[in-house]
């Protein structure tokens, strides 16, 4: 994995780097530690990154700026900050975890677990997704989404309004941030059960969801099992 | 029968006034003047009791003892009056004057050489006249009260025009003085309240600013790393933290502190930040004699601000504090070689420090100060000018 640490205090940056190396071990492919918002912005423009450990106060500047600017990017974010009062806001913008300072190895490990665990669902699901739309960012309410379709490294979001948006994360990366009503019912589909219509059976035991936009979303065999166990809960 | 009623009424008023002044003394301010006035009121209550034997207060004393008691009450009232005025108007050497007065009047009074009024009145008028000349608070009301006292006394004793005139005169004087003291108490209370709120607010601000949770949490996170990796440095870091908090604690309730204390507070903060940022910070001071007094934590605040906003990637910092005389005052200039830009002026968190600085300057120098801040060549400067110190 490719990790970026953005922290302006040297000792804490050292700590994050040391503990991260200890946790990730051989899975670490690339690591950068940067002390300013500007350097981090530059780095993200030029390099692909999987996970960012982000401090919220960078020499008096708001670390959220990075988050708002790049929620549409393909990396996950873990906030490491003393400003615990900003945790809720951070989750709303789709961060994977909020690690309050001071922190120890086991707390930081938990944050990395959330990154590596494909079944992990955030305790505080994001309320908005930021999509790049004609060169600028647009915030989309998660509750507006009917379903998501995977397409390589990004996801197509189908909205209640009938619009379709492109989101810069794969379905794998998107799922942990979404509320529990979103279910991965197919390798290529995540569906919002709150919006899904009737479940249809067609020949050969194939299942489909009838969506309000008159599109049938396929449900795979394993997706059907998941759905059953989800509804049984 | 009517006489009895009047006298009982007057006694009640005198005793109530005495009680009021005693409550003021014990509950509001330990001013000797309040005690003297309480004594003054009590002695007149005593005088009525002994002078006109009240039905309900017949102590069964012989005429001679009663006369003596009356005399003592009379004399005590006079001394209390003089004492009250001396202490109320804060006449210099008041205790000596009071003793001299007692020594000079004691024998003439008991031998009946001079009348009561002729001994106490001139002294009371002289003190009040002195206070009025020096424009002391309440001296006008005291003068009016004394003239009333003298007038009623004259009309009663010399002219026999007013029944119980003397006591009414005393009552008039008590009303005047209570009015004056009441006004002073109210004013003092308000001023005290205002000053208290103001300093409390600033104290609070300083504490909040310096011991912010995130300052502590960030320091603790740094400390964790030191404990894990450099245990000897960790202990030094804790020392530095404790040092800064101790110093803050020592200056937090004050409005002005010696500049030496302020500078060591700055040094303590620099040492902490050196650890946290793994950097070197230097503070140079020029043009300061060492006998200056400054509001607490003002340079500390500026240095804190400088480090927070100005040293993102730099591994060393240089602060320069210089005091220069002005035509009508003096100026402190604090320079740092940071990367702070004018655009940082209004970013988050930058404002609170300056608000604190301005409030402290206002508290100490009224409107006789000016703060200028901005980017200069190779750094950032803040200039604090104090006028007509």
């Amino acid at each position: 994995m490719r990790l970026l640490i953005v922290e302006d205090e040297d000792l804490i940056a050292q700590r994050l780097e040391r503990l991260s190396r200890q946790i990730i071990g051989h899975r670490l492919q690339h690591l950068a530690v940067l002390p300013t918002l500007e350097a981090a912005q530059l780095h993200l423009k030029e390099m692909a990154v999987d996970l960012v450990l982000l401090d919220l106060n960078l020499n008096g500047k708001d670390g959220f700026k990075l988050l708002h600017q790049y929620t549409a990017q393909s990396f996950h974010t873990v906030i490491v900050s003393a400003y615990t009062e900003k945790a809720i806001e951070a989750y709303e913008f789709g961060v994977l975890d909020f690690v309050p300072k001071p922190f120890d190895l086991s707390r930081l490990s938990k944050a990395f677990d959330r990154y590596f665990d494909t079944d992990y669902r955030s305790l505080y699901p994001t309320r908005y997704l930021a999509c790049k739309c004609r060169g600028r960012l647009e915030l989309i309410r998660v509750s507006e989404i009917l379903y998501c379709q995977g397409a390589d490294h990004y996801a197509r979001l189908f909205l209640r309004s009938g619009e379709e948006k492109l989101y810069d994360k794969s379905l794998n990366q998107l799922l942990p941030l979404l509320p529990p009503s979103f279910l991965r019912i197919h390798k290529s589909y995540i569906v919002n059960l709150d919006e899904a219509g009737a479940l249809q059976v067609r020949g050969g035991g194939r299942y489909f969801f009838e969506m309000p936009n008159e599109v049938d979303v396929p449900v795979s065999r394993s997706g059907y099992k998941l759905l059953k166990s989800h509804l049984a809960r | 029968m009517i006489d009895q009623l009047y006298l009982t009424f007057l006694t009640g008023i005198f005793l109530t006034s005495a009680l009021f002044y005693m409550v003021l003394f014990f509950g509001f301010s330990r001013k000797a003047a309040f005690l003297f006035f309480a004594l003054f009121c009590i002695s007149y209550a005593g005088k009525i009791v002994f002078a006109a034997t009240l039905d309900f207060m017949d102590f069964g004393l012989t005429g001679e003892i009663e006369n003596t008691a009356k005399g003592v009450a009379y004399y005590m009232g006079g001394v209390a009056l003089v004492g009250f005025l001396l202490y109320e108007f804060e006449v210099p050497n008041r205790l000596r004057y009071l003793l001299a007065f007692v020594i000079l009047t004691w024998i003439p009074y008991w031998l009946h050489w001079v009348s009561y009024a002729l001994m106490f009145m001139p002294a009371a008028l002289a003190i009040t006249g002195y206070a009025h000349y020096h424009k002391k608070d309440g001296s006008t009301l005291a003068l009016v009260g004394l003239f009333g006292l003298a007038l009623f006394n004259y009309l009663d004793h010399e002219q026999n025009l007013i029944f119980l005139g003397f006591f009414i005169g005393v009552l008039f004087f008590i009303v005047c003085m209570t009015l004056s003291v009441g006004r002073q108490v109210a004013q003092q209370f308000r001023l005290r309240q205002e000053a208290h709120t103001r300093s409390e607010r600033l104290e609070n601000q300083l504490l909040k600013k310096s011991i912010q949770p995130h300052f502590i949490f960030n320091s603790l996170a740094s400390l964790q790393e030191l404990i894990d990796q450099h245990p000897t440095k960790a202990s030094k870091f804790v020392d530095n933290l404790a040092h800064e908090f101790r110093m803050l604690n020592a200056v937090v309730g004050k409005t002005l502190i010696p500049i030496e204390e302020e500078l060591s507070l700055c040094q303590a903060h620099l040492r902490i930040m050196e650890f946290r940022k793994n950097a070197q910070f230097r503070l140079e001071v020029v043009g300061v004699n060492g006998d200056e007094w400054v509001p607490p934590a003002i340079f500390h605040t500026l240095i804190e601000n400088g480090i927070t906003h100005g040293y993102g990637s730099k591994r060393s910092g240089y602060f320069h504090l210089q005091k220069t005389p002005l035509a009508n005052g003096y100026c402190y200039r604090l320079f740092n070689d940071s990367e702070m830009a004018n655009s940082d002026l209004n970013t988050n968190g930058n404002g609170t420090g300056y608000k604190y600085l301005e409030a402290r300057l206002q508290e100490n120098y009224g409107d006789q100060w000016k703060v200028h801040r901005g980017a200069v060549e190779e750094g950032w400067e803040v200039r604090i000018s104090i006028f007509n110190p």
Side-chain angles (χ1 to χ4, degrees):
Chain A
M1 86 184 272
R2 295 154 299 185
L3 182 65
L4 169 63
I5 295 172
V6 190
E7 167 63 63
D8 65 335
E9 292 204 16
D10 201 73
L11 269 177
I12 303 176
Q14 279 177 33
R15 179 171 185 75
L16 284 170
E17 179 180 347
R18 189 171 60 83
L19 297 180
S20 298
R21 280 185 192 281
Q22 207 171 323
I23 296 162
I24 309 169
H26 64 276
R27 287 174 290 187
L28 185 66
Q29 295 161 295
H30 185 263
L31 172 72
V33 183
L34 297 171
T36 65
L37 189 68
E38 294 79 8
Q41 285 167 333
L42 208 68
H43 183 87
L44 286 170
K45 224 179 256 177
E46 289 171 355
M47 302 272 289
V49 168
D50 297 310
L51 182 66
V52 177
L53 301 184
L54 179 64
D55 181 17
L56 283 186
N57 186 358
L58 296 161
N59 307 301
K61 287 179 191 155
D62 191 358
F64 266 136
K65 275 188 187 158
L66 195 74
L67 209 60
H68 292 179
Q69 225 164 332
Y70 291 95
T71 23
Q73 295 285 346
S74 55
F75 58 82
H76 270 306
T77 309
V78 168
I79 302 286
V80 183
S81 173
Y83 291 84
T84 40
E85 68 270 20
K86 295 197 172 166
I88 299 297
E89 194 185 342
Y91 281 117
E92 283 185 356
F93 280 96
V95 306
L96 207 53
D97 199 355
F98 189 105
V99 178
K101 287 176 186 170
F103 56 90
D104 60 2
L105 181 72
S106 68
R107 181 63 187 86
L108 196 63
S109 288
K110 263 186 204 151
F112 280 103
D113 286 348
R114 290 180 181 190
Y115 175 79
F116 288 116
D117 178 4
T118 46
D119 287 335
Y120 173 76
R121 299 297 284 266
S122 173
L123 294 172
Y124 304 90
T126 183
R127 281 172 56 196
Y128 305 98
L129 294 176
C131 291
K132 265 190 206 156
C133 207
R134 289 181 213 98
R136 58 186 195 92
L137 281 181
E138 198 180 316
L139 287 179
I140 291 170
R141 265 187 180 282
V142 168
S143 55
E144 293 289 313
I145 299 172
L146 301 178
Y147 63 95
C148 319
Q149 185 184 11
D152 291 336
H153 295 301
Y154 57 91
R156 294 163 76 188
L157 310 179
F158 295 87
L159 308 185
R160 223 189 283 174
S161 62
E163 286 175 279
E164 182 191 327
K165 302 278 177 191
L166 269 187
Y167 187 62
D168 261 358
K169 276 178 184 155
S170 67
L171 288 189
N172 275 342
Q173 288 170 316
L174 179 58
L175 189 64
L177 305 178
L178 296 173
S181 65
F182 283 80
L183 219 59
R184 182 84 178 261
I185 41 92
H186 191 278
K187 197 170 134 259
S188 308
Y189 289 97
I190 295 173
V191 77
N192 184 357
L193 291 181
D194 293 343
E195 297 290 336
L199 187 64
Q200 306 275 333
V201 197
R202 306 237 172 101
R206 290 181 302 150
Y207 291 90
F208 291 87
F209 265 122
E210 252 179 21
M211 297 309 290
N213 60 351
E214 295 176 1
V215 172
D216 293 337
V217 172
V219 179
S220 69
R221 222 170 270 277
S222 59
Y224 182 70
K225 268 187 210 156
L226 190 71
L227 190 63
K228 271 208 303 196
S229 71
H230 181 82
L231 293 176
R233 244 187 290 162
Chain B
M1 195 50 211
I2 297 291
D3 294 13
Q4 290 277 323
L5 211 63
Y6 272 134
L7 289 171
T8 312
F9 177 66
L10 281 171
T11 312
I13 289 184
F14 290 158
L15 287 178
T16 310
S17 304
L19 200 66
F20 172 69
Y21 278 90
M22 294 227 287
V23 167
L24 272 185
F25 176 78
F26 286 110
F28 182 71
S29 165
R30 298 278 163 122
K31 269 171 70 177
F34 292 155
L35 269 192
F36 277 118
F37 206 81
L39 191 67
F40 176 74
C41 298
I42 289 173
S43 62
Y44 279 97
K47 215 166 95 179
I48 295 175
V49 171
F50 295 123
T53 315
L54 297 174
D55 284 349
F56 62 90
M57 268 194 208
D58 190 357
F59 297 118
L61 302 173
T62 63
E64 200 181 326
I65 294 178
E66 221 171 61
N67 260 338
T68 312
K70 198 176 93 181
V72 169
Y74 236 77
Y75 189 71
M76 229 170 60
V79 171
L81 175 67
V82 171
F84 165 72
L85 292 170
L86 281 170
Y87 277 83
E88 173 66 12
F89 297 126
E90 294 173 330
V91 178
N93 296 319
R94 39 195 174 271
L95 185 61
R96 258 184 238 172
Y97 278 121
L98 188 61
L99 287 176
F101 179 79
V102 171
I103 291 167
L104 283 175
T105 54
W106 181 254
I107 295 174
Y109 175 77
W110 287 107
L111 296 180
H112 300 286
W113 287 351
V114 269
S115 86
Y116 167 84
L118 282 181
M119 279 192 313
F120 296 103
M121 263 320 206
L125 280 173
I127 298 164
T128 315
Y130 162 88
H132 195 70
Y133 177 74
H134 286 277
K135 297 194 169 72
K136 299 262 186 188
D137 260 356
S139 56
T140 311
L141 265 171
L143 270 184
V144 172
L146 281 178
F147 276 120
L149 180 62
L151 183 67
F152 282 111
N153 200 1
Y154 171 77
L155 293 178
D156 180 14
H157 277 257
E158 308 296 326
Q159 307 286 322
N160 262 323
L161 281 176
I162 303 176
F163 170 64
L164 287 178
F166 176 69
F167 289 117
I168 293 174
V170 172
L171 198 61
F172 180 74
F173 180 67
I174 290 179
V175 168
C176 286
M177 289 329 293
T178 305
L179 214 73
S180 150
V181 167
R183 260 182 42 200
Q184 284 174 48
V185 166
Q187 193 184 2
Q188 232 181 52
F189 186 73
R190 209 188 56 235
L191 286 178
R192 219 191 269 185
Q193 197 79 355
E194 276 172 13
H196 188 69
T197 326
R198 201 169 41 238
S199 66
E200 193 108 301
R201 208 177 50 230
L202 285 174
E203 207 178 306
N204 219 345
Q205 240 179 0
L206 175 56
L207 278 176
K208 238 169 95 181
K209 202 168 62 59
S210 322
I211 317 182
Q212 283 163 339
H214 57 85
F215 176 79
I216 294 177
F217 290 148
N218 275 312
S219 296
L220 286 177
S222 293
L223 180 60
Q224 271 182 319
E225 183 59 10
L226 287 175
I227 290 171
D228 288 351
Q229 296 294 303
H230 317 277
T232 47
K233 280 191 187 170
S235 150
K236 185 77 201 137
F237 182 70
V238 170
D239 271 354
N240 286 338
L241 263 184
H243 186 53
E244 184 177 6
F245 285 147
R246 253 198 303 274
M247 303 246 286
L248 272 171
N249 198 31
V251 304
V252 74
K254 298 178 182 165
T255 53
L256 283 173
I257 59 169
I259 197 157
E260 232 167 278
E261 280 183 38
E262 174 68 19
L263 291 177
S264 52
L265 188 61
C266 295
Q267 294 288 3
H269 188 71
L270 289 176
R271 297 295 83 77
I272 290 171
M273 296 316 288
E274 276 184 340
F275 269 105
R276 278 173 45 176
K277 294 232 162 199
N278 192 18
Q280 301 297 316
F281 292 117
R282 197 153 55 87
L283 169 63
E284 204 174 77
V285 183
V286 174
V288 168
N289 314 323
D291 58 4
E292 292 89 347
W293 288 66
V294 293
I298 58 168
F299 298 130
H300 175 266
T301 301
L302 294 176
I303 285 180
E304 199 181 3
N305 244 352
I307 293 181
T308 310
H309 296 269
Y311 295 90
S313 43
K314 278 176 98 167
R315 285 302 158 112
S316 70
Y318 169 64
F319 291 82
H320 182 87
L321 177 66
Q322 184 166 23
K323 184 188 174 194
T324 44
L326 298 174
N328 57 344
Y330 53 89
C331 171
Y332 287 106
R333 174 182 183 264
L334 184 65
F335 165 84
N336 64 51
D337 62 345
S338 75
E339 301 148 337
M340 222 149 118
N342 279 329
S343 59
D344 290 335
L345 265 178
N346 294 315
T347 52
N348 62 323
N350 207 345
T352 40
Y354 284 107
K355 268 192 210 125
Y356 170 78
L357 170 69
E358 285 167 3
R360 280 292 191 194
L361 292 173
Q362 189 71 32
E363 177 190 50
N364 284 294
Y365 308 111
D367 53 3
Q368 300 291 303
W369 57 270
K370 222 176 106 184
V371 173
H372 166 86
R373 56 192 163 127
V376 290
E377 203 179 324
E378 309 208 347
W380 179 269
E381 71 162 17
V382 180
R383 271 181 282 151
I384 303 171
S385 308
I386 311 288
F387 308 111
N388 310 312

